[in-house]
């Protein structure tokens, strides 16, 4: 690079860094991109977790499919399940029509769940079902919908401590 710092090229995404830890993350992303594994990025705010998530998508087999990002901390608790799974017409006050959720929008691609440590417990339970079974139901729906979405998540929270606290 012009600055003399080493560049790690992840397909068409170039990220620049100088630490061994940074290089290790780039190497790990290249390895995990070849799999279908769910990925969790941990780190402080501002370290580039979403940049790495997007790079992971771009070098994966899912690169030609959608990359959908959702900031879990920015969605009110009462709407998170509708945002993730969609809803049926009339399923709650104001539900004028059927609406796609982020899983449906990301079908075949990658769903990036930023600040997943802020996701409410009820939504975590429904998300776990998707991870285990590969299916979900819309809010107000009765039929299970199969899904093929890679989950990439990120948080700046200490998840181990939150788990120990029952949160």
């Amino acid at each position: 690079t012009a600055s003399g710092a080493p560049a790690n090229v992840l397909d068409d995404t170039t990220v620049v860094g100088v630490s061994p830890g940074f290089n290790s993350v780039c190497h790990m992303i290249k390895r995990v991109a070849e799999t279908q594994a769910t990925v969790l990025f941990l780190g402080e705010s501002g370290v580039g977790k979403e940049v790495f998530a997007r790079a992971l998508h771009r070098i994966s087999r899912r690169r030609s499919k959608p990359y959908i990002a959702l900031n879990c901390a920015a969605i009110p608790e009462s709407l998170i399940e509708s945002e993730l799974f969609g809803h049926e017409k009339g399923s709650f006050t104001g539900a004028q029509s059927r609406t796609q959720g982020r899983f449906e929008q990301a079908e075949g691609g990658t769903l990036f769940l930023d600040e997943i440590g802020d996701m409410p417990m009820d939504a975590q339970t429904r998300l776990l079902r998707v991870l285990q079974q590969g299916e979900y139901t819309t809010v107000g729906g009765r039929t299970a919908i199969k899904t093929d979405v890679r989950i990439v998540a990120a948080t700046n929270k200490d998840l181990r401590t939150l788990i120990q606290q029952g949160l």
Side-chain angles (χ1 to χ4, degrees), residues 94-110:
Q96 304 287 331
S97 61
R98 184 187 186 285
T99 301
Q100 288 185 342
R102 303 305 169 101
F103 273 94
E104 191 171 352
Q105 294 169 2
E107 184 61 30
T110 302

Side-chain angles (χ1 to χ4, degrees), residues 15-82:
V15 291
V16 178
V18 293
S19 75
F22 178 85
N23 292 332
S24 176
V25 169
C26 290
H27 179 70
M28 180 77 67
I29 288 171
K30 289 176 186 176
R31 284 195 1 229
V32 78
E34 299 171 10
T35 73
Q36 298 303 313
T38 299
V39 176
L40 175 63
F41 288 104
L42 302 172
E44 298 173 13
S45 295
V47 298
K49 295 180 294 290
E50 185 167 4
V51 171
F52 284 115
R54 194 174 296 275
L56 172 64
H57 173 75
R58 287 184 181 150
I59 64 173
S60 76
R61 289 180 233 149
R62 296 178 181 267
R63 69 183 149 273
S64 64
K65 300 294 184 179
Y67 171 89
I68 303 294
L70 178 67
N71 184 331
C72 297
I75 308 297
E77 187 171 340
S78 61
L79 296 178
I80 189 78
E81 289 187 37
S82 177

Side-chain angles (χ1 to χ4, degrees), residues 126-161:
R126 292 207 50 203
L127 180 61
L128 181 59
R129 178 178 171 86
V130 177
L131 293 172
Q132 290 176 330
Q133 307 292 328
E135 62 184 30
Y136 64 94
T137 55
T138 59
V139 174
R142 294 187 178 111
T143 306
I145 300 168
K146 283 290 208 186
T147 188
D148 175 25
V149 172
R150 179 184 209 161
I151 304 294
V152 177
T155 186
N156 61 5
K157 304 272 181 168
D158 180 347
L159 295 181
R160 291 184 195 273
T161 300

